[in-house]
């Protein structure tokens, strides 16, 4: 099967998942590429049909060991037609846990056929100068492996020929999926405290980049110091994008959790692929 068309469906608040996806596509080297960036809610309007003769990539970061809740309604609304799908989960050097398994089940349920999967590492959303977690990743080695993964997908699909699809691939994970305990704790705690990144008004230049990058529109465009705690994903896109480091998560318990996370993620983990 010659790969003529690749559609990449990507959720990437801090940009690292998109970087991995772009390099996988580069390795596949198709004739036609369409990137469907679903990071913002406004980009998920309408019903999308996935064609039989295209390769589709689902690329998402891992949140608390799972596919982000924010994009589940969109992914499960897609309509496949025995479409070949590549599953990509990007995690912050902690663990991919059940994210790939969850992506696999979503794909199967919408009439798609997973033909390859990859777990890649990127700088953790909560990484900072004080508590670096996989800083500056994906690095050159990660990029090289993403492109090699793409080339391996191309070779696999070409070997299949035009008459059939690959047999089931082995996906890591468990069912029922891991319970996102920390996420549930955050949701419960928000009834009493804010638990969102805050704005240091002495640094803030009102540039509005935090508003533009927020996936859910949680930051008020009229007053960037105001964040809707019920809409905030704590994806830290606003923290990463701020040119003057005015956006920070200052809640002491959250900072302690980041410190503990950093200590547990010191050993470098490498990408894993499943073909």
């Amino acid at each position: 099967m010659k790969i003529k068309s690749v559609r990449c469906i990507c959720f990437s608040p801090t940009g690292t998942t998109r970087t991995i996806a772009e390099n996988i596509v580069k390795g596949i080297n198709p004739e036609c590429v369409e990137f469907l960036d679903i990071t913002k809610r406004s980009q998920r309007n309408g019903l999308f049909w996935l064609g039989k003769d295209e390769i589709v990539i689902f690329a998402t970061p891992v949140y608390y060991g799972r596919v982000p809740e924010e994009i589940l309604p969109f992914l499960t609304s897609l309509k496949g037609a025995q479409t070949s799908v590549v599953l990509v989960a990007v995690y912050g050097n902690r663990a991919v846990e059940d994210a790939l398994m969850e992506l696999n089940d979503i794909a199967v349920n919408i009439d798609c056929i997973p033909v390859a999967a990859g777990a890649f590492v990127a700088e953790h959303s909560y990484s900072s100068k004080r508590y670096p977690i996989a800083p500056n990743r994906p690095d050159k080695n990660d990029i090289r492996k993403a492109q090699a993964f793409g080339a391996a997908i191309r070779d696999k699909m070409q070997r299949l020929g035009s008459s059939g699809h690959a047999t089931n691939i082995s996906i890591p994970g468990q069912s029922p999926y891991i319970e996102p305990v920390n996420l549930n704790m955050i949701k419960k705690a928000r009834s009493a405290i804010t638990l969102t990144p805050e704005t240091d008004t002495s640094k803030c230049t009102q540039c509005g980049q935090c508003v533009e990058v927020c996936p859910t529109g949680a930051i008020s465009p009229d007053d960037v110091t105001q964040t809707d705690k019920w809409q905030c994903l704590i994806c830290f896109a606003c923290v990463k994008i701020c040119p003057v480091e005015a956006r920070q998560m200052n809640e002491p318990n959250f900072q302690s959790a980041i410190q503990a996370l950093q200590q547990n993620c010191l050993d470098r983990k490498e990408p894993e692929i499943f073909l």
Side-chain angles (χ1 to χ4, degrees):
M1 175 183 178
K2 184 177 181 180
I3 301 177
K4 294 183 178 181
S5 176
V6 169
R7 184 185 301 188
C8 184
I9 300 174
C10 183
F11 178 74
S12 185
T14 62
T16 53
T17 296
R18 176 156 183 150
T19 297
I20 292 292
E22 288 174 339
N23 280 281
I24 292 171
V25 171
K26 186 174 182 180
I28 295 174
N29 192 28
E31 294 178 10
C32 178
V33 179
E34 177 188 0
F35 265 90
L36 181 58
D37 189 327
I38 61 168
T39 301
K40 291 188 176 182
R41 289 177 177 174
S42 60
Q43 297 163 316
R44 299 176 225 145
N45 294 326
L47 182 64
F48 288 88
W49 296 85
L50 309 177
K52 183 177 178 63
D53 296 326
E54 64 182 340
I55 301 290
V56 175
I57 298 174
F58 290 163
T60 175
V62 177
Y63 285 1
Y64 306 96
R66 301 279 297 277
V67 174
E69 288 183 347
E70 173 68 17
I71 58 170
L72 289 178
F74 175 81
L75 292 179
T76 55
S77 74
L78 297 172
K79 303 296 182 183
Q82 290 290 285
T83 309
S84 297
V85 171
V86 176
L87 315 172
V88 179
V90 180
Y91 67 102
N93 203 54
R94 187 185 68 84
V96 70
E97 291 187 303
D98 294 336
L100 278 178
M101 177 66 74
E102 190 172 9
L103 271 181
N104 177 81
D105 292 345
I106 291 169
V108 170
N109 287 335
I110 61 171
D111 195 22
C112 291
I113 300 175
V115 296
F120 288 83
V121 178
E123 180 173 319
H124 200 288
S125 298
Y126 300 161
S127 176
S128 64
K129 292 178 181 177
R130 185 178 183 184
Y131 302 122
I133 308 171
N136 304 314
R137 294 185 72 181
D139 55 22
K140 290 182 179 180
N141 188 53
D142 296 313
I143 296 302
R144 178 182 60 81
K145 290 186 176 182
Q147 292 179 6
F149 178 47
I153 294 167
R154 181 193 64 223
D155 293 344
K156 176 177 181 177
M157 299 308 293
Q158 287 176 344
R159 287 195 306 269
L160 288 176
S162 59
S163 60
H165 290 282
T167 55
N168 292 338
I169 56 175
S170 178
I171 300 291
Q174 64 182 23
S175 182
Y177 313 128
I178 186 172
E179 188 70 21
V181 175
N182 289 339
L183 177 59
N184 292 340
M185 288 174 58
I186 289 170
K187 290 179 178 179
K188 184 176 181 179
R190 276 182 165 170
S191 62
I193 57 178
T194 301
L195 266 182
T196 67
E198 301 170 24
T199 302
D200 184 338
T201 55
S202 68
K203 293 181 178 180
C204 179
T205 63
Q206 301 287 324
C207 69
Q209 291 188 58
C210 56
V211 176
E212 289 298 318
V213 79
C214 180
T216 63
I219 304 172
S220 171
D222 299 320
D223 182 358
V224 297
T225 68
Q226 299 301 308
T227 303
D228 185 335
K229 66 180 179 180
W230 301 111
Q231 298 298 319
C232 176
L233 302 180
I234 320 183
C235 67
F236 274 39
C238 61
V239 175
K240 299 290 187 181
I241 199 70
C242 183
V244 293
E245 300 181 354
R247 294 280 295 186
Q248 298 293 332
M249 175 66 87
N250 297 320
E251 205 283 322
N253 291 325
F254 204 98
Q255 281 295 314
S256 295
I258 293 175
Q259 182 180 11
L261 177 67
Q262 191 258 351
Q263 290 300 309
N264 290 330
C265 298
L266 294 175
D267 294 337
R268 178 185 174 99
K269 295 184 178 179
E270 296 295 339
E272 296 178 87
I273 63 172
F274 309 90
L275 285 166

